[in-house]
Amino acid sequence: MVPENTNRIRKLAVKSFYFRSYLFWKLPMGFLSGMRIKKLNEDQCVVTVPFKWINKNPFKSTFWAVLGMAGEMSTAALILQYTYNQKPSFSTLPLKCEADFNKKAVGITSFVCNDGKMIKDKLKEAMETKKPVVIKASSKGIDERSNLICQFNFTWSVKARDF
């Protein structure tokens, strides 16, 4: 189950102009935050978000919701690369978000999700069974010095539609 457009989507996601245009129209807060996809392949997605004026909190670090948005994108992009413009389409719903914070985010934070193969297998199962599957994906936020800033765990429900 590798859609024909998967490689094209991967290439466009890491090209700043195309991804920024997508964010502008589909996820404006992601656009304003400066979020970027640095890497997207079958195994891994890396999303970065900078510390800047619009992203900050009163404690002089990146606001937790901005970190969560980038963490979610690192798991969602792995799902989207296989479900975007598919026939039949997929219904995707985030069910749960859990987070642990270890350190202030005061620079560029990179979110790394290494659950690509598991996600691909779950999507294949959803396509074959036409029943909802639950995907539990995690994303670690690290700073430029490889210090763990935070970790997000997202639970997704994904179902291939019947039409």
Side-chain angles (χ1 to χ4, degrees):
M1 181 206 125
V2 178
E4 294 176 20
N5 62 350
T6 301
N7 285 331
R8 182 171 184 268
I9 290 168
R10 288 176 184 160
K11 288 177 186 173
L12 293 176
V14 297
K15 290 190 178 184
S16 183
F17 174 78
Y18 295 104
F19 183 65
R20 302 279 298 143
S21 297
Y22 173 83
L23 289 177
F24 182 80
W25 294 107
K26 301 288 185 181
L27 189 65
M29 291 310 298
F31 177 83
L32 292 173
S33 74
M35 182 170 52
R36 302 260 195 292
I37 294 180
K38 293 294 183 180
K39 181 179 182 180
L40 177 61
N41 60 39
E42 186 174 343
D43 302 318
Q44 184 184 69
C45 182
V46 178
V47 174
T48 62
V49 67
F51 171 68
K52 60 183 192 175
W53 175 83
I54 201 163
N55 295 345
K56 71 179 183 164
N57 62 28
F59 309 106
K60 299 178 183 161
S61 63
T62 305
F63 184 51
W64 72 268
V66 173
L67 297 172
M69 180 173 50
E72 181 184 17
M73 178 59 76
S74 70
T75 65
L78 289 167
I79 295 170
L80 284 170
Q81 71 179 332
Y82 297 117
T83 61
Y84 186 73
N85 279 344
Q86 281 299 300
K87 303 290 185 229
S89 63
F90 282 80
S91 170
T92 307
L93 176 68
L95 298 175
K96 186 176 184 181
C97 171
E98 299 171 304
D100 292 310
F101 298 92
N102 301 326
K103 192 173 181 173
K104 282 186 170 188
V106 293
I108 295 173
T109 304
S110 298
F111 286 88
V112 181
C113 179
N114 293 310
D115 295 331
K117 286 191 178 174
M118 177 271 297
I119 288 170
K120 183 179 177 183
D121 291 342
K122 290 285 192 174
L123 291 172
K124 183 178 178 185
E125 178 186 336
M127 181 70 92
E128 291 170 356
T129 66
K130 302 290 188 220
K131 293 184 179 180
V133 297
V134 173
I135 298 172
K136 294 183 178 185
S138 67
S139 181
K140 290 184 178 182
I142 56 173
D143 66 12
E144 297 101 330
R145 295 186 189 122
S146 297
N147 295 314
L148 181 65
I149 300 297
C150 56
Q151 178 160 342
F152 284 88
N153 297 303
F154 292 94
T155 304
W156 296 88
S157 174
V158 179
K159 181 182 185 290
R161 294 191 171 110
D162 273 335
F163 45 95

